[in-house]
Amino acid sequence: MELKNLSKYSDAEKIVLAEQLWDSVSKNDLEISEEVKRELDIRIQNLEEGKTELYTWEEVKNHLKAIRSV
């Protein structure tokens, strides 16, 4: 599939197109492996139990800048 000439559409039109594409995907057709489901369950549980360290977007950006300059 090739998308051509998206630049001729306004940002609003592109957003409508993106929404229509997203809505056209049946959530029932999405396949997630059991392994991925288990990992997501573990991550949710760790988050709920306070075992996950959270970072602000600013902290993430600063970290990425720091490791790029090494």
Side-chain angles (χ1 to χ4, degrees):
M1 180 173 94
E2 185 178 336
L3 296 175
K4 297 181 182 180
N5 299 323
L6 284 178
S7 60
K8 70 180 181 180
Y9 297 103
S10 70
D11 288 344
E13 290 171 317
K14 291 176 192 175
I15 291 170
V16 169
L17 174 61
E19 289 173 344
Q20 289 174 347
L21 285 170
W22 182 254
D23 290 343
S24 73
V25 176
S26 171
K27 291 163 185 62
N28 296 328
D29 293 341
L30 297 177
E31 293 183 23
I32 300 175
S33 70
E34 288 303 315
E35 181 181 3
V36 170
K37 288 178 186 178
R38 281 192 299 276
E39 179 62 28
L40 291 172
D41 287 340
I42 290 168
R43 291 180 183 204
I44 290 170
Q45 182 177 354
N46 287 340
L47 182 63
E48 289 173 345
E49 293 175 359
K51 296 179 182 176
T52 301
E53 191 168 349
L54 303 176
Y55 301 94
T56 66
W57 178 235
E58 202 59 40
E59 290 170 322
V60 172
K61 289 192 297 186
N62 289 337
H63 175 73
L64 290 173
K65 286 178 186 175
I67 63 173
R68 284 183 182 158
S69 64
V70 172

